[in-house]
Amino acid sequence: MAIIEAQEITKVYSLGDIDVNALTGVSLAIEKGEFVGIMGPSGSGKSTFMNILGCLDKPTSGKYLLENIDISDLNRDKLAAIRNKKIGFVFQGFNLLPRMSALENVELPMLYDGISAKERKENALEALKKVGLEDRGYHHPNQLSGGQQQRVAIARALVNNAPIIFADEPTGNLDTKTSVEIMKILVDLNTQSNITVILVTHEDNIAAYSRRIIKFLDGSVISDEIR
Amino acid sequence: MINIPSTFRISFRALKVNKMRSALTMLGIIIGVAAVITMLAVGTGASRKISEQISSIGSNLLIILPGATTSGGVRMVVGAQPTLTISDADAIKKECNAVSDVAPVLNGVAQVVYGHQNWSTGITGTTPSMLIVRDWPLASGRSFADRDVRSATKVCLLGQTVVDGLFGDIDPIGQIIRIKKIPFIVIGVLAKKGQSPQGHDQDDNIYVPVTTAQKKLFGTPFPGMVRIIMVKAKSTEALAPAEKQMNDLLRQRHRIGQKQENDFNVRNLTQMMQVAEQSARVMTLLLGSIASISLLVGGIGIMNIMLVSVTERTREIGIRMSVGAKTWDIRLQFIIEAVTLSLIGGIAGIVLGVSGSKALGILAGWPTIVSPLAVFLSFGFSGLVGVFFGFYPAYKASLFNPIDALRHE
Ligand SMILES: Nc1ncnc2c1ncn2[C@@H]1O[C@H](COP(=O)(O)OP(=O)(O)O)[C@@H](O)[C@H]1O
Ligand SMILES: [Mg+2]
């Protein structure tokens, strides 16, 4: 059974009189435990699609089932709960809170899940350990390298044991060596913890980590192949 | 579900980032709270002073003055016509059952001498009832008796100021002073009474039997004349009946016809003072409400800064939403931030307001009183201001679209 099922998803951005058709009817299904690469040129709708799958945005039309739940029926707070429990995000720009330590950044999803302070700290330390940053918990983002910041973001994405991780160009701001380290962590999470990873990238060598590659062009899927 | 203590910690840290801005925002609340506390202290002090004066003139006190307020359309000076007598006072005491005691008064000013000391002071001729009517105890010695009034003996009671002026440290009881060169024996000293509502020193006075004042000190155009009659009603409720009974009695005694105006005037001092007290209370309220406007202005300052802060931190809000912050998680975060601002400002305002009131009391001599209720109220009010003016920015933040907030630069 598919963990993600998109049916005829469209997204239209209205900019005054012009309508931008960012997605023109995308249908696909992703099984639990898959490692999917989404590729395509800039502006082809990859991020738009991923944000809809990540419940950060709503489609203009179409149906999206996440673990068989129809997302279009849910209100803001229900969507927030799904993002909290089912989804982890890793963005190109890391998106850490600058005034908080690495540890506090990792604790953030648990803060909104009503978990006690003690348990939050334990879980956050454990998550930092998984990404090899257990000794950097009290560093602030500006005291960490790009690769380390991205690892904090990954720790935050996995700390609530979310079954799905969305990564939008996670290595876009990193050098090749660091990119390889980040990709290795994502691959390990996929193979060892059976986390479904959906990775957006336009780099072939990064996409090479995926078993399935979906290609986008002008808002629709032009190829979907398993290697 | 949302974690309040850690939200407080988060907001505290957010405020620390912009120390100067937070301090300036608080300044509005600080000034507002300080103004409320000071204004209430000034008003409360004024009402307290008036209540003290009410009890100092004596409770349930009525005063009868000779003369009509108007006469044939011509305004007359109250007390211009000498119409009241000791027998009027006796009749009131005997016939008006709402009255508990009566003291006639004939007063004037005279030079008083003791040894080489000179003192110019008020002399009041009256009866022993005066001390009851005015609720005025003796500090030492004894009061004169009805027998002294009947036989116009030359005895006197001194007010505290007179004792200080004439005797210094000497015990005045039993000493002889000369009033208008006539020797009087001091038989008692009155307790300190302080200022009258009109602001003169009530202790700068000597009391003698009314008959002695009439015959030996001031003289009267006709026998038994007094200047005023002081009356104590049996209770506050008896004030109105007493006024009516005296009115009827005196009209009858003075043979005043149906259409004629009174040749006397009954004043309800207690009532007059209560009116003054009432208006002091209204003034307190007015001062307090004007001051709370500045607290509201402070609140608008908080709202302004919170709106700026929400805009500046759009991305932070987006990040929090992306990891699962719900509507009220975001709202509470910003409301608590506003409340933290206003409560810290409130505490500083209380410190400033309390010391400002004390300073006003010391420097300007105003009788300021900081009531715990005023402190409590203004602290609570500043907290409410935080919630109220923090709500709109918080509400705005909570409605951000997660992805738009996250992409915000
Ligand atoms: N918030 C937005 N408002 C208007 N147009 C948008 C917005 N976000 C994306 N777009 C447009 O939608 C299209 C797809 O964008 P996006 O999904 O970001 O592409 P990709 O991630 O593949 O580079 C682009 O043409 C882009 O300009
Ligand atoms: Mg993109």
Side-chain angles (χ1 to χ4, degrees):
Chain A
M1 190 186 64
I3 191 168
I4 281 172
E5 196 174 342
Q7 299 167 3
E8 285 303 310
I9 300 276
T10 70
K11 180 74 182 179
V12 182
Y13 292 108
S14 306
L15 302 169
D17 353 305
I18 327 160
D19 282 350
V20 179
N21 293 303
L23 294 174
T24 57
V26 176
S27 302
L28 54 79
I30 294 168
E31 301 295 324
K32 183 157 175 55
E34 276 196 273
F35 195 120
V36 181
I38 296 181
M39 295 196 72
S42 181
S44 58
K46 308 182 294 291
S47 295
T48 304
F49 185 60
M50 209 200 75
N51 292 333
I52 289 169
L53 295 190
C55 299
L56 287 170
D57 208 356
K58 286 199 163 184
T60 307
S61 71
K63 197 169 175 183
Y64 169 33
L65 303 176
L66 189 149
E67 288 189 337
N68 267 351
I69 301 165
D70 190 343
I71 294 307
S72 47
D73 296 341
L74 302 182
N75 64 20
R76 292 180 69 97
D77 285 352
K78 292 250 171 63
L79 290 176
I82 286 185
R83 289 194 297 270
N84 184 262
K85 295 233 174 53
K86 307 268 180 225
I87 296 168
F89 290 103
V90 180
F91 296 97
Q92 178 175 1
F94 319 135
N95 278 346
L96 299 175
L97 292 181
R99 289 197 295 269
M100 288 187 163
S101 68
L103 196 64
E104 289 170 310
N105 265 291
V106 178
E107 284 184 28
L108 206 57
M110 293 181 283
L111 188 68
Y112 297 121
D113 195 20
I115 291 173
S116 75
K118 185 167 164 281
E119 209 178 324
R120 282 207 303 269
K121 193 170 173 184
E122 282 170 11
N123 294 353
L125 275 172
E126 198 182 320
L128 280 173
K129 205 170 188 171
K130 277 190 197 160
V131 297
L133 275 184
E134 61 270 34
D135 55 345
R136 292 287 191 279
Y138 295 97
H139 286 55
H140 280 232
N142 61 2
Q143 298 164 325
L144 297 170
S145 71
Q148 288 171 328
Q149 289 187 54
Q150 197 59 299
R151 283 195 268 166
V152 173
I154 294 173
R156 182 180 65 188
L158 59 85
V159 76
N160 256 9
N161 297 318
I164 312 168
I165 286 183
F166 290 99
D168 192 348
E169 315 231 12
T171 60
N173 287 359
L174 304 174
D175 59 41
T176 319
K177 183 173 163 284
T178 320
S179 301
V180 172
E181 286 168 20
I182 295 297
M183 289 315 297
K184 190 176 173 321
I185 293 171
L186 289 176
V187 169
D188 284 351
L189 286 173
N190 176 246
T191 52
Q192 287 165 22
S193 309
N194 201 30
I195 294 173
T196 310
V197 176
I198 295 154
L199 170 81
V200 170
T201 184
H202 59 264
E203 293 170 78
D204 288 331
N205 56 331
I206 297 300
Y209 290 91
S210 319
R211 263 170 285 143
R212 174 181 172 190
I213 294 185
I214 301 171
K215 286 196 169 137
F216 272 64
L217 186 66
D218 293 339
S220 53
V221 175
I222 53 164
S223 79
D224 182 347
E225 45 197 46
I226 297 174
R227 298 180 309 155
Chain B
M1 183 211 73
I2 176 82
N3 193 320
I4 300 279
S6 70
T7 314
F8 258 107
R9 209 152 22 85
I10 290 166
S11 60
F12 209 76
R13 204 175 322 168
L15 297 175
K16 257 186 8 201
V17 171
N18 276 309
K19 286 198 193 66
M20 189 66 185
R21 186 160 94 181
S22 305
L24 285 175
T25 311
M26 279 177 205
L27 199 58
I29 295 292
I30 294 174
I31 292 173
V33 168
V36 168
I37 288 187
T38 313
M39 291 298 111
L40 290 182
V42 167
T44 314
S47 335
R48 180 76 58 89
K49 177 141 198 193
I50 292 171
S51 339
E52 276 167 16
Q53 285 170 342
I54 291 179
S55 47
S56 97
I57 57 169
S59 53
N60 306 327
L61 188 64
L62 293 161
I63 290 183
I64 309 171
L65 300 166
T69 35
T70 62
S71 178
V74 182
R75 236 195 122 75
M76 302 288 286
V77 181
V78 173
Q81 295 130 310
T83 53
L84 298 171
T85 63
I86 288 185
S87 32
D88 284 336
D90 291 340
I92 290 170
K93 170 102 201 228
K94 207 149 72 209
E95 314 233 337
C96 303
N97 60 17
V99 167
S100 86
D101 229 321
V102 180
V105 168
L106 178 69
N107 56 359
V109 175
Q111 193 73 17
V112 184
V113 180
Y114 170 72
H116 299 296
Q117 301 293 324
N118 249 307
W119 196 257
S120 180
T121 183
I123 312 291
T124 302
T126 186
T127 60
S129 302
M130 173 58 94
L131 302 191
I132 297 158
V133 171
R134 298 282 323 266
D135 301 321
W136 200 346
L138 282 164
S140 62
R142 62 171 183 89
S143 172
F144 46 81
D146 289 330
R147 173 167 32 83
D148 294 305
V149 176
R150 270 197 304 278
S151 46
T153 54
K154 290 177 277 183
V155 294
C156 65
L157 306 177
L158 305 185
Q160 205 66 55
T161 308
V162 179
V163 174
D164 294 343
L166 283 181
F167 291 92
D169 289 338
I170 304 163
D171 180 12
I173 308 289
Q175 304 290 336
I176 290 179
I177 60 170
R178 288 170 189 278
I179 305 174
K180 284 191 167 178
K181 303 214 171 72
I182 302 161
F184 280 76
I185 303 177
V186 178
I187 57 168
V189 173
L190 291 161
K192 193 165 173 62
K193 189 89 167 165
Q195 289 205 332
S196 76
Q198 287 77 27
H200 73 249
D201 180 4
Q202 301 182 87
D203 299 312
D204 191 4
N205 210 336
I206 294 175
Y207 288 86
V208 299
V210 60
T211 45
T212 316
Q214 287 170 330
K215 290 171 190 154
K216 310 221 157 82
L217 290 177
F218 302 122
T220 51
F222 57 90
M225 188 207 95
V226 294
R227 266 190 36 79
I228 58 176
I229 297 173
M230 290 190 171
V231 178
K232 191 183 186 67
K234 280 191 170 136
S235 63
T236 312
E237 293 73 43
L239 277 166
E243 210 173 325
K244 163 116 180 42
Q245 289 168 2
M246 293 189 299
N247 201 58
D248 294 347
L249 179 69
L250 289 181
R251 279 181 76 89
Q252 185 195 329
R253 283 178 58 84
H254 293 193
R255 298 183 213 295
I256 297 168
Q258 281 278 299
K259 297 249 155 60
Q260 272 178 295
E261 292 220 37
N262 286 347
D263 62 351
F264 61 91
N265 204 294
V266 181
R267 295 263 173 102
N268 185 339
L269 276 193
T270 310
Q271 201 175 38
M272 282 161 63
M273 291 305 293
Q274 275 162 353
V275 170
E277 193 182 23
Q278 189 67 38
S279 51
R281 245 185 249 129
V282 171
M283 182 189 75
T284 310
L285 229 91
L286 206 71
L287 287 175
S289 359
I290 291 171
S292 28
I293 290 175
S294 62
L295 196 50
L296 283 187
V297 174
I300 293 169
I302 288 189
M303 177 144 96
N304 186 30
I305 282 304
M306 291 309 297
L307 282 172
V308 171
S309 173
V310 163
T311 309
E312 283 178 354
R313 286 152 67 194
T314 303
R315 205 178 151 84
E316 172 191 330
I317 295 163
I319 293 172
R320 289 178 182 276
M321 285 175 165
S322 75
V323 299
K326 297 191 174 76
T327 312
W328 272 101
D329 293 325
I330 298 293
R331 281 184 197 171
L332 274 181
Q333 182 189 336
F334 284 96
I335 289 173
I336 284 177
E337 214 167 294
V339 169
T340 309
L341 265 178
S342 67
L343 285 188
I344 295 175
I347 290 170
I350 286 170
V351 172
L352 187 69
V354 170
S355 38
S357 308
K358 289 262 148 63
L360 260 184
I362 294 164
L363 298 178
W366 291 3
T368 54
I369 294 171
V370 178
S371 69
L373 184 71
V375 172
F376 186 76
L377 273 183
S378 44
F379 184 69
F381 197 42
S382 66
L384 274 183
V385 162
V387 173
F388 187 79
F389 288 100
F391 185 80
Y392 176 66
Y395 174 78
K396 220 183 115 179
S398 72
L399 293 186
F400 283 167
N401 182 15
I403 189 64
D404 291 341
L406 208 50
R407 285 223 198 91
H408 188 91
E409 286 310 315

